Each structure stands twice: as structure tokens, then as C-alpha cells.
């Protein structure tokens, strides 16, 4: 090499099971099982192998794993693009990532709800062995995706329940309880006509919200309105127009239950555009999943849905399913947590 010529650096060698084995002093088979978190391998051995693997920058060769085990080590998440929270996707992903930490599984994310056939996406994953399991949101009462996966005995978990008699893995939020809790609180504050913009009726959680709301308004003997022609996936301008139309009637609502932060923002803006003061002429109570609701002005009362905990639970439920766990460990219903720390102005 002549003076002044660039020095050629040796290419980095990719760490393999063999190099991890040589460095750690264990057999390749032991290293492989330790990295798979096999409980038959001593915890101290698993910890030492994991430390060496991290030091060497070992990354599993998924193609080789698939040939050897028949597993892809991939979980496919079908994420609906319509949701009621500002940070739904990021919180759900953060929770699932934490729940899968140390398992060797990676997530493949496919946006759903953009006009494609959702069942065909599921079929493609199953037929072509693109993942070891699937997770999806926005379940319907008799969801074709759930039916297909049950029929083919393919591992899955859903964010939301269904009405099938055959049990299946899910993580859900108790929306019926949320609706009752929210209406109870608004009635406690003297409100007598409650309005809720609901999800589309085909979604199971929309049915749960309706059941809980009807129970509460029947108990209290108050008026209740679900605006016609819109749901909470409708364009914000359409929702705002529906709320303005309600306030032009002889019996306008004086209490709003908002199923998410986005609906709360639309409702706050609509009331203020009509010259009404939230907390005076009408109260708003919303479900929230992120700290953004702390910055709503004027302040409103909220009920918390922990989407991070949902994601973490979904990962754990899915792992139970793939490891042949009991159905008791695969069905999780998370309770609402009220944040009634702020007292609404008493003008009524």
C-alpha cells in the first residue's frame, strides 16, 4: 500500500450463535436455548449468555430461525387508523414492546381501516406464514377475523371483545362501566340531559357504551341523546354541526360524555363557538389516555383509560396463547379510573 493511500478497514463480522458460544464458554445448543429464554436453562446461565450477546451485538437470524423452528418470531399488529385518543398508537406500541421485551419477538405493524379488506389481510398472514400470531383492534360483535382465526387455530389477541360463544384471547376496557360512571358524575353535578356521540354500532365497544349509558339514564330518569347521522369517526365539522343543531332545539343538552380526547376537543370548540361556557351552561366529562387533557381550557373532568397497560397486557395474553396457557390468563378487562380531582363550577 503506497504512502497516503486510505487504510482499508476489515469488515465487521456479524456475531453468530457460535461466536456467542465461544465467548461465553457454553455449547451452541445451550446458547440457543438460553437466548430463547428456555426455563430449563439456569437463570444465571441465561443472564450470562444475554450479557455476552449484548456485548457482541448479536442479532438473531430470523430466516435461519424460521427454517430451524418453523417460527418467524414476528407478531403482526393490525392497527386501526381511526381512534379516539391523541396518543393511542404510541402508547399501545410502547406497552406491547415492553410486554415482549426479552422474548425475541419483533412486531410488524400494518395500518388497518384504510379501505382494504381486513379479513384478506389476516388470510394473507396465515396462508403465507408471515407471523406467528396477530393482534388487532376495533373488534366487531361477530368479527369475521376472529371467526377465521378460531377456525384455523391461529394464535391471536384482540383489543376488544366479541359476541362469539367460543372464548378467545382479548384485552378490553370496561366501556359500559365508564359510561355509567360518567353519567353518574354529570347527574351529581345537576345535569339533566346528557349527550354522547357514539362509535359505529358494529363495533363491540360501541354496544358496551350504549348499554352502560342506557342503564345510567334509566336509573336517574334523565334525558339522553345520541346525535343522528354522525359517529365519532365522522369529520369534526360534521360532529360540530350536529352539536350546534341540538343546541338549537327546545331541550338542548347540558352534559356531554366524550369517548376520547379528540371528541372532547371538538365538543369544547363547538360549545365555545356557540357562545356557551363549558362548566356553566354545560359540563363535559371525557375519557383520556394521555396528559394532553391536563391542558384543555377550560378544564374538564376525565376518566383514564391506560392504553400503555393495554398494550402490555395484550403482549402477555398473546404469549400465554402461544405457550398454551389457560383461557383465564388470556382474557383481561381493564377498569376505568376516575380523575375527579377538579370541581366543576356550581351554577345550577
Amino acid at each position: 500500500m503506497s504512502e497516503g493511500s486510505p487504510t482499508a478497514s476489515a469488515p465487521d463480522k456479524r456475531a453468530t450463535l457460535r461466536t456467542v458460544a465461544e465467548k461465553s464458554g457454553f455449547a451452541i445448543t445451550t446458547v440457543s436455548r438460553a437466548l430463547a429464554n428456555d426455563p430449563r436453562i439456569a437463570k444465571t446461565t441465561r443472564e450470562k449468555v444475554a450479557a455476552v450477546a449484548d456485548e457482541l451485538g448479536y442479532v438473531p437470524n430470523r430466516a435461519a430461525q424460521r427454517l430451524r423452528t418453523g417460527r418467524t418470531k414476528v407478531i403482526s399488529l393490525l392497527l386501526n387508523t381511526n381512534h379516539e385518543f391523541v396518543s393511542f398508537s404510541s402508547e399501545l406500541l410502547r406497552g406491547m414492546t415492553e410486554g415482549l421485551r426479552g422474548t425475541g419477538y419483533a412486531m410488524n405493524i400494518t395500518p388497518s381501516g384504510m379501505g382494504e379488506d381486513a379479513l384478506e389481510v389476516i388470510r394473507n398472514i396465515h396462508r403465507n406464514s408471515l407471523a406467528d400470531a396477530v393482534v388487532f383492534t376495533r373488534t366487531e360483535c361477530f368479527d369475521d377475523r376472529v371467526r377465521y382465526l378460531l377456525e384455523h387455530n391461529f394464535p391471536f389477541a384482540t383489543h376488544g371483545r366479541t359476541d362469539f360463544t367460543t372464548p378467545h384471547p382479548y384485552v378490553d376496557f370496561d366501556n359500559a362501566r365508564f359510561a355509567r360512571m360518567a353519567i353518574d358524575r354529570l347527574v351529581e353535578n345537576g345535569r339533566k340531559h346528557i349527550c354522547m356521540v357514539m362509535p359505529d354500532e358494529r363495533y363491540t365497544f360501541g354496544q358496551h357504551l350504549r348499554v352502560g349509558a342506557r342503564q345510567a339514564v334509566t336509573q336517574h330518569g334523565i334525558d339522553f341523546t345520541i346525535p343522528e347521522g354522525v359517529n365519532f369517526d365522522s369529520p369534526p365539522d360534521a360532529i360540530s354541526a350536529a352539536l350546534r343543531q341540538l343546541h338549537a332545539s327546545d331541550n338542548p343538552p347540558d352534559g356531554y360524555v366524550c369517548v376520547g380526547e379528540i371528541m372532547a376537543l371538538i365538543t369544547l370548540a363547538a360549545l365555545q363557538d356557540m357562545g356557551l361556557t363549558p362548566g356553566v351552561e354545560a359540563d363535559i366529562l371525557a375519557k383520556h389516555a394521555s396528559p394532553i387533557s391536563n391542558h384543555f381550557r377550560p378544564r374538564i373532568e376525565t376518566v383514564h383509560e391506560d392504553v400503555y397497560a393495554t398494550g402490555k397486557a395484550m403482549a402477555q395474553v398473546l404469549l400465554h396463547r402461544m405457550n398454551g396457557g389457560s383461557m383465564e390468563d388470556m382474557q383481561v378487562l381493564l377498569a376505568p379510573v376516575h380523575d375527579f380531582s377538579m370541581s366543576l363550577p356550581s351554577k345550577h
Side-chain angles (χ1 to χ4, degrees):
M1 184 183 302
S2 61
E3 186 178 354
S5 64
T7 303
S9 59
D12 292 336
K13 290 183 64 177
R14 186 177 186 274
T16 65
L17 285 176
R18 182 176 298 279
T19 54
V20 175
E22 291 172 352
K23 177 77 171 179
S24 64
F26 295 108
I28 292 178
T29 53
T30 301
V31 168
S32 176
R33 289 165 60 189
L35 290 173
N37 207 28
D38 188 334
R40 292 171 294 182
I41 302 297
K43 183 180 179 182
T44 53
T45 300
R46 282 180 279 159
E47 290 174 347
K48 181 177 179 181
V49 170
V52 172
D54 287 343
E55 178 187 342
L56 296 177
Y58 171 74
V59 177
N61 185 324
R62 297 193 183 280
Q65 283 185 332
R66 183 171 179 175
L67 288 172
R68 186 174 66 254
T69 67
R71 289 194 171 191
T72 64
K73 297 298 284 186
V74 170
I75 291 171
S76 189
L77 171 60
L78 278 60
L79 194 58
N80 196 288
T81 53
N82 295 323
H83 47 75
E84 61 272 27
F85 298 122
V86 173
S87 60
F88 178 87
S89 298
S90 60
E91 286 298 292
L92 187 73
L93 289 171
R94 191 168 68 89
M96 286 197 68
T97 300
E98 180 61 29
L100 294 172
R101 188 182 303 279
T103 65
Y105 276 97
M107 278 192 295
N108 179 21
I109 303 167
T110 303
S112 182
M114 300 179 68
E116 81 280 23
D117 184 342
L119 179 56
E120 188 55 36
V121 174
I122 294 285
R123 285 196 185 108
N124 185 52
I125 292 170
H126 171 246
R127 288 170 178 168
N128 296 294
S129 300
L130 300 180
D132 295 333
V134 296
V135 175
F136 51 92
T137 60
R138 287 283 183 103
T139 53
E140 300 181 12
C141 297
F142 294 99
D143 201 301
D144 288 337
R145 299 168 297 180
V146 170
R147 180 184 287 109
Y148 177 88
L149 292 166
L150 286 172
E151 289 174 350
H152 290 83
N153 194 31
F154 191 80
F156 72 97
T158 61
H159 180 215
R161 288 165 283 174
T162 65
D163 289 339
F164 288 117
T165 54
T166 302
H168 65 80
Y170 67 76
V171 178
D172 201 4
F173 178 78
D174 195 340
N175 280 289
R177 185 174 173 186
F178 158 72
R180 293 194 302 269
M181 180 187 295
I183 292 173
D184 287 348
R185 180 61 173 176
L186 289 171
V187 170
E188 182 182 326
N189 280 281
R191 301 309 183 179
K192 302 181 183 303
H193 182 184
I194 308 301
C195 174
M196 285 184 72
V197 177
M198 289 287 191
D200 190 293
E201 288 186 86
R202 74 178 187 274
Y203 295 124
T204 314
F205 81 115
Q207 295 297 331
H208 296 159
L209 286 164
R210 286 169 171 81
V211 168
R214 294 294 182 190
Q215 290 173 341
V217 298
T218 299
Q219 176 186 344
H220 294 295
I222 58 173
D223 294 329
F224 180 63
T225 297
I226 300 174
E228 295 182 0
V230 294
N231 60 59
F232 73 32
D233 289 329
S234 298
D237 288 347
I239 296 171
S240 181
L243 298 183
R244 290 197 301 272
Q245 185 175 352
L246 284 176
H247 273 272
S249 68
D250 295 333
N251 180 27
D254 60 0
Y256 290 87
V257 177
C258 296
V259 189
E261 299 146 351
I262 294 172
M263 187 57 60
L265 287 169
I266 295 170
T267 304
L268 277 168
L271 293 181
Q272 292 175 332
D273 286 348
M274 289 183 286
L276 304 174
T277 303
V280 181
E281 290 92 351
D283 286 340
I284 299 174
L285 193 150
K287 191 201 297 187
H288 82 99
S290 71
I292 191 67
S293 62
N294 295 333
H295 302 281
F296 290 171
R297 296 295 182 271
R299 294 181 179 274
I300 62 173
E301 292 190 306
T302 59
V303 171
H304 187 218
E305 177 174 350
D306 193 336
V307 179
Y308 168 79
T310 298
K312 190 171 181 179
M314 289 183 74
Q316 293 166 345
V317 161
L318 200 60
L319 292 171
H320 283 310
R321 167 64 181 86
M322 290 188 289
N323 293 325
S326 67
M327 191 56 66
E328 289 182 357
D329 296 325
M330 297 185 229
Q331 296 184 324
V332 178
L333 185 62
L334 300 175
V337 178
H338 66 77
D339 296 319
F340 299 152
S341 58
M342 297 168 292
S343 177
L344 296 176
S346 179
K347 300 288 186 181
H348 31 275

